[in-house]
Amino acid sequence: QVLLQQWGAGLLKPSETLSLTCAVSGESFSGYFWTWIRQSPGKGLEWIGEVNHNGATYYNPSLKSRVTMSVDTSNNHFSLKLTSMTAADTATYYCARGLISGTTWNYYYYLDVWGKGTTVTVSS
Amino acid sequence: EIVLTQSPATLSLSPGERATLSCRASQSVGSFLAWYQQKPGQVPRLLIYDASNRATGIPARFSGSGSGTDFTLTISSLEPEDFAVYYCQQRGNSLTFGGGTKVEIK
């Protein structure tokens, strides 16, 4: 059974950097997309970005200038950093596994396993 | 960016009734669409992938259909535990979710 365990600071001040880590257990790290999703209070889901086992990343264009994702394959971890946090970044942040469907040249992924979420509040 | 528009925003139904939720994409996504259920205070749960395939452990009363730009999630007979928010998702050149449909008890 695949489990995602996430952790990181839950209370930040404006301008600080969010750092979250997600540990993958029970499955190989390769062959998937590893993603971060957030949900502001009472709002919908927002994709932050993805990283694969090779460290290739792709970010939401609206957050791209502030986001860095990375992988640590030796420990089956992947991480998120989001700089210059503001109150608008207050949200629950989820890590999730992207399971690929399709062919080599025409594919997408869906999110079949999720972490429990980390509530992040930005306040002075 | 492909925009997913879900309708209606809220669906008020009684247990036992049929629920029909719509997700429309701003351009074709083929069959590359997934649906999720989220209950208050809980993590989203995958229901349907590839537009029509039920995820592991999902009851048969949930079904998905459609391709291209128009997709439907149907709950054939609502159980009390089905009242929740439902999201569709695609991953074309970037990943997007629809705005969600809340299925509430009438």
Side-chain angles (χ1 to χ4, degrees):
Chain A
Q1 181 187 5
V2 182
L3 289 176
L4 302 184
Q5 184 177 3
Q6 59 181 104
W7 65 88
L11 180 61
L12 296 172
K13 291 181 168 48
S15 80
E16 290 186 332
T17 296
L18 171 68
S19 291
L20 297 175
T21 299
C22 187
V24 180
S25 61
E27 179 60 86
S28 169
F29 204 68
S30 62
Y32 302 96
F33 285 94
W34 303 97
T35 73
W36 292 95
I37 308 293
R38 70 179 183 178
Q39 186 171 36
S40 300
K43 302 297 184 183
L45 301 167
E46 180 181 29
W47 175 72
I48 300 171
E50 68 195 33
V51 60
N52 69 13
H53 68 281
N54 291 322
T57 57
Y58 189 67
Y59 304 137
N60 185 324
S62 69
L63 298 168
K64 182 179 180 180
S65 63
R66 299 193 292 133
V67 175
T68 302
M69 293 183 184
S70 60
V71 295
D72 177 356
T73 54
S74 60
N75 290 304
N76 271 21
H77 293 172
F78 63 105
S79 298
L80 166 70
K81 290 189 185 303
L82 184 62
T83 63
S84 305
M85 295 285 282
T86 72
D89 296 310
T90 293
T92 297
Y93 288 72
Y94 298 100
C95 59
R97 185 178 80 168
L99 184 56
I100 300 168
S101 178
T103 65
T104 302
W105 305 110
N106 186 26
Y107 66 90
Y108 84 125
Y109 64 80
Y110 51 91
L111 306 169
D112 67 329
V113 181
W114 295 64
K116 293 187 183 301
T118 301
T119 300
V120 175
T121 302
V122 183
S123 175
S124 56
Chain B
E1 176 182 287
I2 297 175
V3 176
L4 298 178
T5 302
Q6 291 188 242
S7 62
T10 304
L11 199 51
S12 298
L13 295 168
S14 300
E17 289 194 295
R18 183 184 188 89
T20 303
L21 288 66
S22 174
C23 177
R24 178 162 290 179
S26 60
Q27 58 186 273
S28 178
V29 297
S31 295
F32 289 166
L33 190 99
W35 290 92
Y36 302 84
Q37 176 194 66
Q38 187 179 32
K39 299 177 185 178
Q42 295 190 18
V43 178
R45 177 174 71 147
L46 175 69
L47 294 177
I48 300 287
Y49 64 93
D50 297 354
S52 61
N53 294 325
R54 275 190 303 277
T56 302
I58 301 304
R61 64 181 181 273
F62 290 92
S63 64
S65 63
S67 66
T69 60
D70 290 303
F71 300 86
T72 301
L73 174 69
T74 301
I75 310 170
S76 59
S77 179
L78 283 164
E79 296 287 340
E81 62 267 29
D82 298 337
F83 291 92
V85 180
Y86 294 83
Y87 296 96
C88 55
Q89 173 250 317
Q90 67 79 36
R91 201 274 187 210
N93 53 0
S94 65
L95 191 152
T96 57
F97 294 95
T101 290
K102 181 180 182 180
V103 179
E104 65 175 24
I105 299 176
K106 186 175 181 179

